[in-house]
């Protein structure tokens, strides 16, 4: 017989054990109602003599997905999670966690306060709060070190890394991995523990550890934190677990959590969290089924094509890799095999996985073989004539129901669709290099793309583990349009008086891993130069135009690959090149520009404003569906720091 303690918490008695189930779809977040219910169940258990122990579990595929992030910023509603967690730990009757699925943030903190933890084999556990710009706020930084030690706790909390069940057992975070149903095994364990004094995590001593090892764990995480606050605070709090009395550590943690929760960094990362979920909701696709896809043809196995093929093979699809000649096809197959070798070397893949993936790859020079694919992705040279001819051919030989996708970065996919008999089956899938690593895929909805074709593109991108963002068809889509505005303003700043290294220094100090000119040199200057030349005839003569980059390219300075660009590059290092400074000064003088010193904050604000203004235009044109999509594209494709939220968020338009 089941008993309810709130809308989201109910319980049943199983031979003296109260089995409490949290059922708060979609992720059993620790909402106010859930907390009230859990607290109610615990106090009921403490008062009922017939109850000898408690088991806590979640309904569905999640244990508890954490605190309810939507409640952040709203006035707090009691009982607060730390109070519920403290009640669990203080219970005189053993409380066993049956971790049936994801136990994240406050969800794991509930588990850590239980006296025994049994996890199902497929569950993921972790304290990913730093990914939201905060630290655990319900005891995670004080209880996890007591179970897993300082070094592991430092790494897991400061990096927000999740662990699978086996690693959680090895680290001492859980007591057992369930062979079958974790609830049944938890009830059995609870009965065994009944009548014994509970093992309270907070009462455990923090195992001693080699301070050097603990220090190194923190250093490794901070090397990637790029000035974010939360990882620094997480490391400090985990250390405090070893030096402060438990209750004092909890208080310090809570104060830090509350301070960070309202920080701009946390608001920015929360914005990104919900932006990623919102991007998946595409207008006009409610109830639209994606077409089934088992085999994907990738045309062109160069840098982009081979990366795309690897991502597709990693996701379990069959791949038909097409090149112009048998030799090129074999080179392509070897390039793909080489990418898998690297994955094996870095431990991300084992030999069996590599072999299984390559077994699903057919590399060929016979274009007609694409007839066996439900989706064709072309990644050939980004030239209109080349791609148009290819689409005419594909339209004739691809399966009637197959979806045709272009990986173009700058061409208008509508022009490619127009040369086919069925333009409704054409869309853009714009991957970012390296395509097997970069998360972002711009999914381009062309003028005639059918809803189920768009749904198919989104479904495939999601299965690749990518972050798909839908964009309309315009030159450069969302990302390159905003990046072009960024580039334009950066060059205006150079003409006005700032030097490339000063601009890069300002943007890197603000949070970018690389400033614009370092990125231009890394990507190569020739592609933008070719586009500027293509546009020269139609460029508005009254519009401001900076020709310094043209001068650099005319001098053979194409960036890192040619050893010289905006910088001189040697030994993997970039250096200010007096030749470039002289070229800049000459160009300014030729235009009679009165140079002035430009402070770093003006550099930053002008570049951010330029990106936001272009974003605004994309929204007005209906190319981007929402401002947060633009933030996702710039963060996941162009190195905009996530903890800043994106150009639209910074401009207050997120
Ligand atoms: N709060 C509120 N809503 C949440 C949520 C949460 N914690 N997690 C997910 N959602 C919503 C999400 O917005 C989406 O809504 C729907 O649930 C499905 O999510 C004190 C303070 C659990 C692995 O960081 O990582 O605890 O779009 O699409 O792919 O120390 O959600 O449908 O309207 O992601 O199956 C720490 C966050 C919080 C975990 C499931 N917890 N969540 O993935 O579904 S801070 C986290 C996830 C904390 C304490 C602190 C994933 C998931 P909608 P989804 P999924």
């Amino acid at each position: 017989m089941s008993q309810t303690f709130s809308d989201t918490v109910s319980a049943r008695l199983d031979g003296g054990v109260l089995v409490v189930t949290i059922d708060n779809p979609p992720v059993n977040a620790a909402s106010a109602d859930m907390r009230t219910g859990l607290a109610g169940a615990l106090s009921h258990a403490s008062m009922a003599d017939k109850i000898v122990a408690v088991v806590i579990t979640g309904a569905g595929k999640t244990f508890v997905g954490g605190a309810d992030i939507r409640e952040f910023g709203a006035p707090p509603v009691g009982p607060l999670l730390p109070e519920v967690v403290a009640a669990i730990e203080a219970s005189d009757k053993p409380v066993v966690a049956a971790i049936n699925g994801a136990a994240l943030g406050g969800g794991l903190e509930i588990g850590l306060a239980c006296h025994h933890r049994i996890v199902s084999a497929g569950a993921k556990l972790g304290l990913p709060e730093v990914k939201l710009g905060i630290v655990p706020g319900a005891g995670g930084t004080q209880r996890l070190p007591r179970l897993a030690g300082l070094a592991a706790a430092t790494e897991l909390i400061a990096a927000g890394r999740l662990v699978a069940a086996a690693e959680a057992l090895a680290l001492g975070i859980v007591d057992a991995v369930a062979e079958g149903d974790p609830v049944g095994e938890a009830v059995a364990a609870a009965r065994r523990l009944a009548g014994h004094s509970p093992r309270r995590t907070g009462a455990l001593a923090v195992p001693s550890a080699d301070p050097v090892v603990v220090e190194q764990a923190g250093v490794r995480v901070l090397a990637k934190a790029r000035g974010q606050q939360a990882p620094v605070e997480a490391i400090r709090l985990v250390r405090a677990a070893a030096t402060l009395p438990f209750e004092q550590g909890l208080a310090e943690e809570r104060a830090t959590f509350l301070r960070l929760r309202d920080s701009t960094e946390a608001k920015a990362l929360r914005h990104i969290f919900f932006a990623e979920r919102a991007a998946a909701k595409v207008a006009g696709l409610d109830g639209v089924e994606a077409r089934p896809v088992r085999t994907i043809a990738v045309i062109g196995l160069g840098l982009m094509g081979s990366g795309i093929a690897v991502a597709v093979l990693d996701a379990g699809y069959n791949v038909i890799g097409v090149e112009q000649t048998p030799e090129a096809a074999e080179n392509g197959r070897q390039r793909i095999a080489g990418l898998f070798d690297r994955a094996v070397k870095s431990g991300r893949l084992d030999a069996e996985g590599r072999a299984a993936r390559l077994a699903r790859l057919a590399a060929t020079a016979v274009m007609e073989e694409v007839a066996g694919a439900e989706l064709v992705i072309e990644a050939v040279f980004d030239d209109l004539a080349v791609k148009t001819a290819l689409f005419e051919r594909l339209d004739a030989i691809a399966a009637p129901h197959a979806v045709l996708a272009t990986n173009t970065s700058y061409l208008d996919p509508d022009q490619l669709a127009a040369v086919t008999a069925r333009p409704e089956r054409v869309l853009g899938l714009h991957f970012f290099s390296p395509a097997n690593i970069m998360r972002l895929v711009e999914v381009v909805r062309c003028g005639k793309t059918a809803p189920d074709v768009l749904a198919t593109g989104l479904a495939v991108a999601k299965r690749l583990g990518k972050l798909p963002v839908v964009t309309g068809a315009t030159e450069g889509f969302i990302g390159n349009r905003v990046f072009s505005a960024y580039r334009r303003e950066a060059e205006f700043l150079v003409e006005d008086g700032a030097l490339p290294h000063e601009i890069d220094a300002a943007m890197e100090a603000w949070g970018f891993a690389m400033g614009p000119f370092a990125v231009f040199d890394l990507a190569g200057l020739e592609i933008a130069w070719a586009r500027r030349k293509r546009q020269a005839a139609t460029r508005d003569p009254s519009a401001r135009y900076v020709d310094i980059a043209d001068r650099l390219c005319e001098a053979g300075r194409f960036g890192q690959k040619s050893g010289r660009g905006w910088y001189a590059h040697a030994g993997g290092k970039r250096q200010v090149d007096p030749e470039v400074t002289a070229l800049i000064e000459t160009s300014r003088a030729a235009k009679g520009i009165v140079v002035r010193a430009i402070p770093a904050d003006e550099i930053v604000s002008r570049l951010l404003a330029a990106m936001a203004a272009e974003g605004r235009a994309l929204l007005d044109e209906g190319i981007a569906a929402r401002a947060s999509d633009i933030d996702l594209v710039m963060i996941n494709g162009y190195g905009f720091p996530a903890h800043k939220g994106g150009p639209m968020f910074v401009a207050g338009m997120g």
Side-chain angles (χ1 to χ4, degrees):
M1 209 263 311
S2 176
Q3 185 177 0
T4 60
F5 289 94
S6 73
D7 294 346
T8 55
V9 176
S10 63
R12 61 181 172 82
L13 207 49
D14 182 343
V17 176
L18 187 70
V19 179
V20 180
T21 301
I22 298 162
D23 190 359
N24 185 18
V27 297
N28 295 339
S31 64
D33 180 86
M34 183 275 227
R35 299 190 305 266
T36 304
L38 198 48
L42 286 164
S43 86
H44 168 70
S46 68
M47 294 188 284
D49 294 341
K50 65 177 184 291
I51 297 175
V52 296
V54 178
V55 164
I56 300 176
T57 193
K61 63 180 175 70
T62 310
F63 175 65
V64 176
D68 191 331
I69 307 170
R70 291 174 205 280
E71 292 183 357
F72 287 19
V77 178
L80 300 178
L81 192 56
E83 295 161 14
V84 178
V85 162
I88 293 172
E89 187 162 70
S91 166
D92 291 330
K93 298 175 182 177
V95 183
V96 177
I99 301 176
N100 57 298
L104 307 178
L108 180 57
E109 290 173 302
I110 288 170
L112 295 174
C114 291
H115 307 125
H116 194 78
R117 286 155 291 280
I118 297 194
V119 64
S120 67
K124 284 264 179 209
L125 302 87
L127 298 171
E129 282 85 346
V130 290
K131 303 249 163 98
L132 293 168
I134 54 177
V135 291
T141 65
Q142 303 305 302
R143 289 191 176 89
L144 189 66
R146 285 171 160 80
L147 294 174
L150 287 168
T154 296
E155 193 253 327
L156 292 181
I157 300 176
R161 183 168 74 82
L162 307 187
V163 293
E167 186 180 0
L169 181 65
L171 287 171
I173 299 173
V174 299
D175 300 285
V177 176
E179 268 139 41
D181 160 31
V183 176
E185 294 184 29
V187 169
R191 282 207 195 100
R192 275 198 314 275
L193 295 167
H196 301 279
S197 72
R199 177 177 178 257
R200 296 189 169 90
T201 311
L204 301 174
V206 175
S208 62
D210 176 345
V212 176
V213 174
V214 177
E215 173 72 20
Q216 285 168 345
V219 168
R220 275 195 302 276
V221 173
L222 292 183
K224 296 189 189 132
R226 298 200 0 233
Q228 289 182 59
Q229 289 179 56
V232 177
E233 295 291 2
I235 291 168
R236 178 179 64 80
L237 289 165
V238 170
R239 289 222 180 103
T243 56
L244 293 180
F246 181 59
E247 291 304 327
Q248 213 180 317
L250 289 180
E252 182 58 29
E253 174 197 83
R254 189 70 187 170
T256 306
F257 163 75
L258 293 172
R259 175 166 51 77
L260 290 177
R261 185 193 59 190
D262 303 332
S263 68
T264 310
E265 203 168 282
K267 287 177 184 151
L269 289 164
R270 273 200 301 279
H271 161 71
I272 295 303
F273 178 85
F274 289 117
E276 292 200 7
R277 274 93 195 148
K281 301 183 175 100
V282 178
L285 292 190
D286 290 348
V288 175
E289 287 287 310
R291 298 183 183 184
V293 176
R294 280 174 301 283
T295 300
I296 297 178
V298 179
I299 318 288
L301 298 177
L303 177 71
M304 285 307 294
S306 57
I308 294 170
V310 165
V312 171
L313 289 164
D314 277 339
Y317 293 103
N318 303 322
V319 169
I320 301 168
V322 183
E323 264 292 355
Q324 295 179 331
T325 65
E327 298 69 36
E330 179 48 28
N331 291 344
R333 200 191 68 74
Q334 286 179 12
R335 192 175 289 122
I336 292 167
L339 290 171
F340 286 134
D341 292 341
R342 244 193 271 168
V344 170
K345 211 153 158 240
S346 69
R348 282 178 288 118
L349 185 64
D350 57 24
E352 292 77 48
R354 176 185 181 279
R357 284 160 173 73
L358 288 172
R360 285 186 272 107
L361 169 65
T364 177
V366 182
M367 181 70 83
E368 283 63 28
E369 291 192 23
V370 302
E374 292 90 9
L375 168 63
V376 180
I377 305 176
E378 67 77 18
V380 302
F381 183 59
D382 213 9
D383 173 83
L384 187 59
V386 171
K387 288 200 195 255
T388 306
L390 175 61
F391 267 75
E392 279 165 348
R393 195 155 172 226
L394 285 174
D395 194 41
I397 57 180
H401 211 55
V403 170
L404 304 182
T406 172
N407 179 55
T408 182
S409 307
Y410 277 102
L411 300 177
D412 176 359
D414 279 324
Q415 288 184 287
L416 304 177
V419 301
T420 71
R422 279 160 290 188
E424 71 280 1
R425 66 167 172 171
V426 175
L427 83 171
L429 288 178
H430 179 215
F431 289 79
F432 288 74
S433 182
N436 53 317
I437 308 286
M438 293 290 280
R439 263 184 91 210
L440 181 68
V441 175
E442 284 185 310
V443 178
V444 187
R445 185 199 305 242
C446 301
K448 297 198 171 129
T449 301
D452 67 331
V453 167
L454 187 64
T456 305
L458 287 162
V460 168
K462 197 152 189 218
R463 185 166 151 194
L464 301 188
K466 301 295 185 190
L467 174 66
V469 175
V470 173
T471 169
T474 181
E475 172 147 1
F477 313 132
I478 293 175
N480 284 332
R481 271 272 300 266
V482 175
F483 192 69
S484 300
Y486 180 59
R487 178 196 298 272
R488 226 178 4 256
E489 189 63 29
E491 292 176 358
F492 289 168
L493 281 160
V494 166
E495 226 178 34
D496 292 346
L499 289 172
H501 67 279
E502 293 165 344
I503 296 169
D504 284 358
M507 294 311 281
E508 288 163 17
W510 190 76
F512 278 75
M514 283 176 94
F517 293 92
V519 171
F520 302 155
D521 272 9
L522 179 69
L525 308 185
E526 71 282 8
I527 298 168
W529 187 36
R531 209 178 66 257
R532 287 194 300 275
K533 285 195 279 189
R534 254 201 331 270
Q535 294 169 333
T538 56
R539 187 176 302 124
D540 172 357
S542 65
R544 183 177 179 181
Y545 183 75
V546 178
D547 60 5
I548 298 170
D550 298 344
R551 299 291 87 77
L552 292 175
C553 291
E554 286 153 10
R557 306 181 69 104
F558 297 118
Q560 239 169 282
K561 68 185 81 168
S562 65
R564 306 175 312 145
W566 287 96
Y567 292 96
H569 296 271
K573 292 218 167 2
R574 67 181 196 231
Q575 276 153 346
V576 174
D577 189 332
E579 264 184 43
V580 175
T581 309
L583 193 153
I584 291 170
E585 286 162 353
T586 310
S587 173
R588 290 167 179 165
K591 287 191 174 181
I593 291 174
V594 180
V595 173
R596 64 185 179 87
I598 305 179
D601 58 355
E602 179 188 338
I603 290 172
V604 173
S605 60
R606 276 178 58 175
L607 289 170
L608 294 176
M611 286 192 265
E614 194 66 28
R616 178 74 269 163
L618 287 163
L619 291 169
D620 295 345
E621 294 163 33
I623 299 293
R626 53 185 80 86
S628 60
D629 286 355
I630 299 168
D631 289 333
L632 289 178
V633 166
M634 298 320 291
I635 285 168
N636 291 283
Y638 297 81
F640 197 105
H643 64 280
K644 297 289 184 178
M648 308 309 281
F649 176 83
V650 173
M653 289 191 265

